Amino acid sequence: MIRLADAAIDPGALLAEFCAGRTDAGAVVSFTGLTRGRTDGAAVTRLTLDAYPGFTEAVMAEIEAEARARFAVEDVLAVHRWGSLDIGEPIIFVAAAAEHRRAAFEAVDYLMDQFKTRAPFWKREDGPDGARWIEARPDDHQAIERWATAQ
Amino acid sequence: MIRLADAAIDPGALLAEFCAGRTDAGAVVSFTGLTRGRTDGAAVTRLTLDAYPGFTEAVMAEIEAEARARFAVEDVLAVHRWGSLDIGEPIIFVAAAAEHRRAAFEAVDYLMDQFKTRAPFWKREDGPDGARWIEARPDDHQAIERWATAQ
Amino acid sequence: MAQVTLFGSYQDLAGWRTRAVPGGSLGAIRQAVAAENAALGEQLGHPCTLVIVNERLVGRGDGADAHPLAENDDVAFGPPVSGG
Amino acid sequence: MAQVTLFGSYQDLAGWRTRAVPGGSLGAIRQAVAAENAALGEQLGHPCTLVIVNERLVGRGDGADAHPLAENDDVAFGPPVSGG
């Protein structure tokens, strides 16, 4: 399940909802991305994420389908925030449930690597030194290569 | 931070508490272990975890210190339930916060592998076919070997 | 005329987000934009630029130039993305 | 006399959880238990058994036999563990 959220997301509530009523999955792994007050040494006061509703969910849903096909998971949830975010606010919540923990870890790891380089969001950081647009980092591009050869 | 809980633990509330106020950590990874209604094909109706308060936390704290020394994490939390659990109830919640996601993933992965084989808990599953004591699985023993050579 | 939307830094470069641009193909749209703003026109042709028509990715940069457009198609150009 | 506590399956095997057992070393405690319950005595000597004195791990199975005990020491024996 993929959701695009234009208001604050609540990782605690999302994890509680995702765990509720599960009696077959022994393992739930989650990732929460938070807006940092500093990147590469520069202060950040606000983060703005642009998205293209319709297209953005479609690409995320493709990535979700890949993860479901690739790992022995029972369920996957990804909620991505867009709009204007304060420092410390959650940007993304991703969770996977599986019978055993390895598949849950790998699915969330995979989803995050793919979202970082492929999910259509455009990020602008505002700080005392002005605004700058953020692209995927070199280590994000390296990270995604792990999945080309692995299993 | 290590906690031993003799009453129900709430992964959503723990994740919310763990994320709150973080402005330096961009990444929070969590693991939640849930009581499964079936293991290796056998139905389970109740899980009982025995622990040795004092000793159990001390071993968990040792493992936590290893993880903090080994990975670039800002914070680690592990809450382990003991006592008598219904199917679907959380057994363990582990979370790590880091500037970048790789360290957070690896720390939680490491903590779970170590807890599975080293944390002093004794588990009994009750089901229609009687009771059985559970030891770490062969794949848990394999999992822990990954950390002997890695980085 | 196609409705053209720009994302991320392309908006700042253009000074607009959405406008109607005449042209029967993506190449024609790019040329119309480049005639007015050479720097933006160059960015839209870059091989990393996502070119999206009616919410579907149709190619990257000037590699999508041949793609024909119908009246009222929604066209979008986006710089390299960074989710999560 | 040391207070001896058994964990996990050892409790089921013994039929008790905690009792006072006389003996000036862990080996003596093991022998006292084995005299009463040979199967349990053998388990306590197994190289995977955790042997804990006053909340500190002092060794495994009969490898810890030489460890001396003081009056009122807390001794615990646990089978292989499985957290998480």
Side-chain angles (χ1 to χ4, degrees):
Chain A
M1 160 85 76
I2 295 295
R3 295 185 216 158
L4 202 58
D6 59 5
I9 63 177
D10 178 344
L14 291 169
L15 180 61
E17 169 196 326
F18 190 72
C19 288
R22 294 202 185 277
T23 58
D24 294 330
V28 172
V29 171
S30 82
F31 177 87
T32 304
L34 300 172
T35 310
R36 282 189 296 150
R38 186 165 288 278
T39 54
D40 302 328
V44 178
T45 50
R46 178 149 285 276
L47 180 71
T48 305
L49 283 105
D50 202 359
Y52 185 0
F55 176 65
T56 297
E57 293 100 316
V59 175
M60 290 181 72
E62 238 174 64
I63 295 170
E64 183 201 9
E66 291 168 14
R68 286 183 185 264
R70 188 161 183 154
F71 306 103
V73 290
E74 298 207 338
D75 202 1
V76 166
L77 172 66
V79 182
H80 207 303
R81 174 72 192 278
W82 67 305
S84 178
L85 281 75
D86 281 327
I87 301 313
E89 271 202 271
I91 305 167
I92 188 168
F93 176 85
V94 174
E99 192 175 346
H100 296 295
R101 68 187 183 283
R102 182 65 25 225
F105 272 113
E106 289 188 342
V108 176
D109 198 1
Y110 178 87
L111 287 163
M112 283 310 304
D113 279 356
Q114 302 297 327
F115 288 155
K116 281 278 177 185
T117 47
R118 293 167 56 195
F121 291 90
W122 296 276
K123 282 181 186 159
R124 196 187 69 224
E125 289 178 349
D126 295 312
D129 304 326
R132 58 173 195 160
W133 290 94
I134 307 301
E135 294 184 7
R137 304 165 58 92
D139 52 353
D140 290 325
H141 287 290
Q142 276 166 26
I144 206 169
E145 285 166 22
R146 295 187 299 149
W147 304 105
T149 49
Q151 236 222 72
Chain B
M1 162 85 75
I2 295 295
R3 296 185 216 158
L4 201 57
D6 59 5
I9 63 177
D10 179 344
L14 290 170
L15 180 61
E17 169 196 325
F18 190 73
C19 289
R22 294 201 183 279
T23 58
D24 294 328
V28 172
V29 171
S30 82
F31 177 87
T32 305
L34 301 171
T35 310
R36 282 189 297 151
R38 186 165 287 280
T39 52
D40 302 327
V44 177
T45 50
R46 180 150 284 278
L47 180 71
T48 305
L49 282 106
D50 202 0
Y52 186 1
F55 177 64
T56 297
E57 295 100 314
V59 175
M60 291 181 72
E62 238 174 64
I63 296 170
E64 184 202 9
E66 290 167 16
R68 286 184 186 263
R70 189 163 183 152
F71 306 103
V73 290
E74 298 207 337
D75 201 1
V76 166
L77 172 66
V79 182
H80 207 303
R81 174 72 192 278
W82 68 305
S84 178
L85 281 76
D86 282 329
I87 302 311
E89 271 201 270
I91 306 166
I92 188 169
F93 176 85
V94 174
E99 192 175 346
H100 297 294
R101 69 187 183 282
R102 181 68 23 227
F105 272 113
E106 289 188 342
V108 176
D109 198 359
Y110 177 87
L111 287 164
M112 284 309 304
D113 280 356
Q114 303 296 328
F115 288 155
K116 281 279 177 184
T117 48
R118 293 167 55 195
F121 290 91
W122 296 275
K123 282 181 186 159
R124 196 186 70 222
E125 289 179 349
D126 295 311
D129 304 328
R132 58 172 195 158
W133 290 94
I134 307 301
E135 295 183 6
R137 304 165 58 93
D139 52 354
D140 289 325
H141 287 291
Q142 276 166 27
I144 207 170
E145 285 167 20
R146 295 186 300 149
W147 305 105
T149 50
Q151 305 182 21
Chain C
M1 291 209 291
Q3 286 296 318
V4 175
T5 304
L6 304 177
F7 287 97
S9 56
Y10 296 171
Q11 257 177 62
D12 289 358
L13 202 54
W16 51 270
R17 180 178 176 89
T18 301
R19 66 159 60 162
V21 179
S25 69
L26 284 169
I29 296 272
R30 271 216 316 121
Q31 280 169 358
V33 170
E36 195 184 312
N37 184 331
L40 177 60
E42 194 176 316
Q43 287 297 315
L44 300 192
H46 191 280
C48 287
T49 295
L50 300 181
V51 187
I52 306 149
V53 176
N54 299 328
E55 301 184 2
R56 289 198 44 233
L57 186 72
V58 297
R60 289 180 185 264
D62 55 16
D65 275 359
H67 190 92
L69 293 176
E71 196 68 21
N72 299 323
D73 271 354
D74 284 314
V75 174
F77 295 95
V81 301
S82 169
Chain D
M1 293 209 290
Q3 285 295 318
V4 175
T5 304
L6 304 177
F7 287 97
S9 56
Y10 296 172
Q11 257 176 62
D12 291 357
L13 201 54
W16 51 270
R17 180 177 176 88
T18 300
R19 67 160 60 163
V21 179
S25 70
L26 283 169
I29 296 272
R30 271 216 316 119
Q31 279 169 358
V33 169
E36 194 185 312
N37 183 331
L40 177 61
E42 194 176 317
Q43 287 296 314
L44 300 192
H46 190 281
C48 287
T49 295
L50 301 180
V51 187
I52 306 149
V53 176
N54 298 329
E55 302 184 2
R56 289 198 45 233
L57 185 73
V58 296
R60 289 180 187 263
D62 55 15
D65 275 359
H67 190 92
L69 293 177
E71 196 66 23
N72 299 322
D73 272 354
D74 284 315
V75 174
F77 295 96
V81 301
S82 170

